[in-house]
Amino acid sequence: MAGWADKLNDAVAHSAVGRYFQLEGSGHRRERKNTRFTTELRAGLTIFFAMAYIISVNASIISDSGGTCVCNGTPSDPTCDADAEYMNCVYEVKLNMIMATSIISMISSILIGLFANLPLGMAPGMGLNAYFTYTIVGYHGSGNVSYQTALAAVFLEGIIFLILSIFGVRQWLARVIPMSIKVAMGCGIGLYLCFIGLQSSAGIGLVRLDLSTLVTLGGCPDAALDENGVCQWGHMESPTLYMGFLGLILMSLLLMFRVRGAILMAIVAIAITSWPRNSPITYFPYTDSGNNMFDYFKKVVTVHNLDAVLGKFNFDFTTKEIWIALVTFLYVDILDTTGTMYSMARYGGFTDKTGDFEHSTWAFVGDACCVTIGSCFGSSSCTAFVESGAGIAEGGRTGITAITVAFGFFISIFFSPIFASFPPWSTGPALIIVGSMMTSSVRNINWDYPGDAIPSFITMAVMPFTYSIAYGVIGGIFAYIIINGTVLIIDKASRGRIHPDYSMREDWWTAVMSRSFVPLWIRYLIAKARGQEFDWHQDELDFDDDEIIEPDTETPTVIVESEELETISSRGRNEKL
């Protein structure tokens, strides 16, 4: 088996496909070390199973908006919850969205894999879909903006993103963020992933709502929950919680013994054991919702139409609410995606010394196209998923991983009943494991200088506590500007007599300013206009592996699969005086 796999890896590496995706041994001028075709496939499957929950979750959230259904509310039932005809229409929207989510995720993952060569899974973003549904459109259309108009705002957002990406604005934002904050973004996403994995909606259910302290120890059976989802009794008594613990332990042991596909194997094993109905750990209890899920699960193969969601636009921008929504979509999505993509790129090892990452222009252009595509299929903004870290941990480093994710979503178009039935306690442990891996880079933050350390800590802490990557990035950047800006003003006003010890400060701007902020294609046009020769690879000469870096005693070692990869600290701080 190993010999067959080695032959396949060598054949693909020496083909045009291997060269395009920069596989090791392909002869590409910038091969990605330790990349194998079979490893990329396994990593893609891991990402797919880790994020397959989005098929059903996104459909449930978007359908709560009511979609194109018309609610004629009454004083006693303003949101039409008791209207059987309306609720049947909403259920039809949900079935449409299950199919649409799979198609959106498939197309988006292909784009990011082919054009940006990044191992990222793309799908409608969690958080943004909730904002779209419950804040903009409102539950069952109770907001000030219609579903069709909100989709038009998302479509316009994608067009604006595309323009910003082409002219390098999004890449500029990725570069000017201080290095310690960028490292903290990855750590914060790790904590954010762990928090998701500990909850019940997409995790093992250890953490539950508490009306006094916001969160508390959960793990209670569904029968113990009140109308707000607060545990009334039975803490730590839920059988599915212990299935989540089992999955977590299984993944940990398999990773310790360096078993290939450890995360994927554990996810599938826990999911399969949760499908029988005559079990206390079943994903299909004998309730109305359980019966509906099981009826859908039994179909195994089905293809649903998209009549209720495809191309449902209304370009009516006469209300101030839609402009507020558009601006909010823009700044939240741009920071969310920038933070996620940079953190995943850094985790995978293909960021450069200027604070950018490889193929960033194509990545952001592809992301902008994905936003527009998502709106065409009736969904909120599509973005890079933090669950991609699970595949990177499995060894995924190229766009082949993303295309494998896309293949998984393609299969789910036909087998959506199966892939929509992976319980959260099977995928939650993967999020916790990946969260622990991503936070390992916390040691690379410059903790010796408060001007770097405090904004970095704020970035890390705000992400899980606000359930938003974007808010964490905003908090860290504002803290950095206020703290260090005040120090600079005092320094200048006192003519250098009053200032902190700068010797511990991180010097991130030297590398950032060493490369032009003008997009490559504009530099090409300028060179052509001046009759000068142009080097299309001029921005590829700043990666850490272009020079030999002497190891030091503080360089951490990260184990991915059976290979040890040294992660070079990119603090770039000044020498201590």
Side-chain angles (χ1 to χ4, degrees), residues 105-128:
S105 305
M106 176 192 70
I107 297 173
S108 301
S109 298
I110 288 176
L111 287 177
I112 209 71
L114 277 179
F115 294 116
N117 196 22
L118 293 174
L120 302 178
M122 304 286 290
M126 291 293 293
L128 286 170

Side-chain angles (χ1 to χ4, degrees), residues 417-440:
I418 300 295
F419 294 109
S421 301
F422 276 72
W425 55 85
S426 69
T427 57
L431 304 185
I432 298 171
I433 292 289
V434 173
S436 71
M437 294 176 178
M438 293 192 66
T439 52
S440 65

Side-chain angles (χ1 to χ4, degrees), residues 355-418:
D356 203 351
F357 60 90
E358 202 170 1
H359 307 308
S360 61
T361 297
W362 286 108
F364 288 128
V365 167
D367 172 69
C369 294
C370 295
V371 172
T372 302
I373 291 169
S375 67
C376 293
F377 285 92
S379 182
S380 57
S381 301
C382 191
T383 187
F385 258 54
V386 290
E387 285 82 355
S388 303
I392 295 174
E394 286 284 356
R397 293 294 183 276
T398 74
I400 296 175
T401 296
I403 294 173
T404 305
V405 175
F407 180 75
F409 280 111
F410 172 73
I411 297 298
S412 71
I413 293 173
F414 307 98
F415 293 91
S416 55
I418 300 295

Side-chain angles (χ1 to χ4, degrees), residues 115-311:
F115 294 116
N117 196 22
L118 293 174
L120 302 178
M122 304 286 290
M126 291 293 293
L128 286 170
N129 54 7
Y131 176 76
F132 175 93
T133 296
Y134 302 114
T135 303
I136 304 302
V137 181
Y139 178 71
H140 286 181
S142 57
N144 296 319
V145 178
S146 71
Y147 171 74
Q148 294 91 330
T149 305
L151 287 179
V154 176
F155 181 89
L156 182 58
E157 175 203 358
I159 301 299
I160 296 173
F161 269 5
L162 183 61
I163 296 171
L164 294 178
S165 300
I166 291 174
F167 284 94
V169 176
R170 297 181 73 183
Q171 299 87 307
W172 178 83
L173 287 173
R175 286 174 57 186
V176 298
I177 297 174
M179 185 59 69
S180 280
I181 291 183
K182 282 191 278 197
V183 175
M185 282 158 47
C187 300
I189 289 174
L191 295 174
Y192 177 61
L193 273 179
C194 180
F195 190 45
I196 294 173
L198 291 173
Q199 296 181 66
S200 58
S201 58
I204 63 178
L206 181 64
V207 173
R208 278 284 185 179
L209 171 68
D210 186 279
L211 298 180
S212 300
T213 61
L214 300 183
V215 292
T216 188
L217 185 69
C220 59
D222 290 341
L225 299 174
D226 65 9
E227 65 276 6
N228 296 316
V230 177
C231 288
Q232 301 299 301
W233 51 269
H235 295 274
M236 298 295 291
E237 294 182 10
S238 172
T240 58
L241 171 67
Y242 290 93
M243 288 302 296
F245 285 160
L246 178 62
L248 184 62
I249 294 170
L250 181 59
M251 285 182 195
S252 302
L253 292 174
L254 292 175
L255 285 170
M256 289 178 68
F257 286 100
R258 301 178 183 178
V259 176
R260 295 184 180 274
I263 296 176
L264 177 60
M265 290 168 61
I267 290 174
V268 173
I270 298 300
I272 291 175
T273 59
S274 303
W275 287 341
R277 299 199 77 181
N278 56 344
S279 165
I281 60 170
T282 182
Y283 189 47
F284 310 111
Y286 289 99
T287 61
D288 290 341
S289 61
N291 291 333
N292 288 335
M293 288 192 300
F294 190 66
D295 289 341
Y296 188 64
F297 174 72
K298 289 189 296 183
K299 292 181 180 180
V300 181
V301 179
T302 184
V303 177
H304 204 275
N305 63 61
L306 301 173
D307 294 343
V309 297
L310 186 62

